[in-house]
Amino acid sequence: MAATRLELNLMRLLSRCEALAAERRDPEEWRLEKYVSALEDMLRELKKQSSKPAPELLNEYSRKVDFLKGLLEAEKLCSSTEKALANQFLAPGRTPTTIKERTPATKTVHLQTKARCTGKMRSELLGTVCFGVAASLLLVYRFVSCYICLASDEKQSAVELDAVLQHHQDMQEKLAEEMLSLARSLKNNTLAAQNVIKQDNQTLSHSLRMADQNFEKLKDESDRLEQHAKKSVNWLLWIMLIVVCFIFISMILFIRIFPKLK
């Protein structure tokens, strides 16, 4: 059944929304949200029509619209961890929206969004650890400054000075241990982030490779089906020609055998 005008408009707008979702947008970008809202209205109208598409196609449209809507809601979350967790529960479309696509655009957008969230998480993690190291160095500087001030005070007793020195020495050792622990944590978190990015890249490469293989198989099957259709048409034409010739010869023989009555 041919697609209606409303379905064609829905497919065009859906393709446009997928292209916008794949781009890096400004926080003040409003077009995608308005487009998704229009998609929801068009999908409801399409379901009410008497000449609506097949149920599988309607489910695919709903799946893609829900994915875009969930993507917008995930972008409104505050932390990168919440965004990454929300993206994990999104379900992209299974089939391409247009003929030019090899893989579904929503699946590519999903993988790109996961990679961006992972990168932001790593940046925030590195920033937090570096902030802790800077704070520790600031405390050391303050303690050393306090120590210099105390040393310059000639009225301080020797006992009090030894106690202060011992206290600052203990504090410096404690800070050194904390800095070492922070450095180890930074190293472990960096390695973990690298492993996550590596796994995501492998998943993306595998998905693209499988999509290319499926496209090649589909192309081969289409060629075989086209050749089979051509063969069927040729055999039918020859059969029709034989039947026509047989009828023509039978008519001539009939006229010869039974002459016209006078």
Side-chain angles (χ1 to χ4, degrees):
M1 183 173 60
T4 60
R5 190 178 190 88
L6 180 60
E7 185 180 358
L8 291 175
N9 292 334
L10 175 68
M11 292 172 63
R12 293 192 187 101
L13 185 57
L14 183 59
S15 177
R16 178 58 179 162
C17 290
E18 290 172 349
L20 283 175
E23 298 174 356
R24 289 185 176 272
R25 303 182 304 282
D26 296 331
E28 298 178 357
E29 177 65 40
W30 55 270
R31 290 181 298 171
L32 182 58
E33 188 171 358
K34 296 294 182 182
Y35 289 169
V36 172
S37 178
L39 278 176
E40 292 179 338
D41 296 337
M42 295 171 69
L43 185 59
R44 281 194 293 268
E45 292 295 329
L46 186 63
K47 290 180 179 179
K48 294 178 182 178
Q49 286 187 347
S50 58
S51 59
K52 58 185 178 181
E56 295 81 6
L57 194 56
L58 279 176
N59 292 334
E60 184 65 18
Y61 289 152
S62 301
R63 186 183 182 92
K64 292 179 179 179
V65 172
D66 292 339
F67 170 78
L68 293 172
K69 185 177 179 181
L71 186 66
L72 289 174
E73 293 176 354
E75 290 179 352
K76 295 179 181 179
L77 298 175
C78 298
S79 64
S80 299
T81 305
E82 293 177 350
K83 292 180 180 180
L85 184 61
N87 279 309
Q88 291 292 335
F89 293 100
L90 294 179
R94 297 188 179 94
T95 59
T97 305
T98 60
I99 303 176
K100 297 179 180 180
E101 297 176 3
R102 289 191 175 183
T103 58
T106 50
K107 185 176 290 185
T108 306
V109 172
H110 191 209
L111 294 174
Q112 290 176 351
T113 307
K114 286 173 62 178
R116 282 199 292 265
C117 290
T118 304
K120 289 182 180 178
M121 287 176 60
R122 183 178 63 175
S123 300
E124 290 180 359
L125 181 62
L126 294 176
T128 303
V129 175
C130 292
F131 177 77
V133 173
S136 300
L137 292 174
L138 181 60
L139 287 174
V140 171
Y141 174 76
R142 287 180 178 177
F143 282 128
V144 171
S145 299
C146 183
Y147 167 72
I148 293 173
C149 291
L150 289 175
S152 63
D153 191 0
E154 297 178 353
K155 296 180 180 180
Q156 194 73 283
S157 62
V159 177
E160 293 177 351
L161 183 59
D162 291 339
V164 170
L165 289 175
Q166 184 64 35
H167 174 71
H168 285 293
Q169 185 177 359
D170 295 338
M171 291 297 296
Q172 289 178 1
E173 292 177 356
K174 184 177 180 181
L175 288 172
E177 292 177 357
E178 290 180 356
M179 291 174 63
L180 183 61
S181 176
L182 287 172
R184 291 174 180 171
S185 177
L186 175 62
K187 180 180 178 181
N188 294 331
N189 292 329
T190 304
L191 293 175
Q194 289 178 354
N195 291 331
V196 170
I197 295 173
K198 184 178 180 180
Q199 291 176 0
D200 290 342
N201 290 333
Q202 290 177 353
T203 303
L204 180 60
S205 300
H206 179 70
S207 300
L208 294 176
R209 187 165 56 254
M210 292 296 294
D212 291 337
Q213 292 177 0
N214 293 333
F215 178 75
E216 294 296 333
K217 291 180 180 179
L218 181 61
K219 185 177 179 181
D220 294 339
E221 293 298 329
S222 300
D223 294 339
R224 289 177 57 190
L225 182 60
E226 185 177 358
Q227 293 176 1
H228 181 69
K230 289 181 179 178
K231 290 180 180 178
S232 300
V233 172
N234 291 334
W235 279 108
L236 183 61
L237 181 62
W238 281 107
I239 291 172
M240 290 179 65
L241 287 174
I242 292 172
V243 171
V244 170
C245 293
F246 177 76
I247 293 173
F248 180 74
I249 295 172
S250 300
M251 292 274 303
I252 293 176
L253 292 176
F254 182 79
I255 292 171
R256 292 286 185 178
I257 294 173
F258 300 99
K260 183 178 181 182
L261 297 176
K262 294 183 179 180

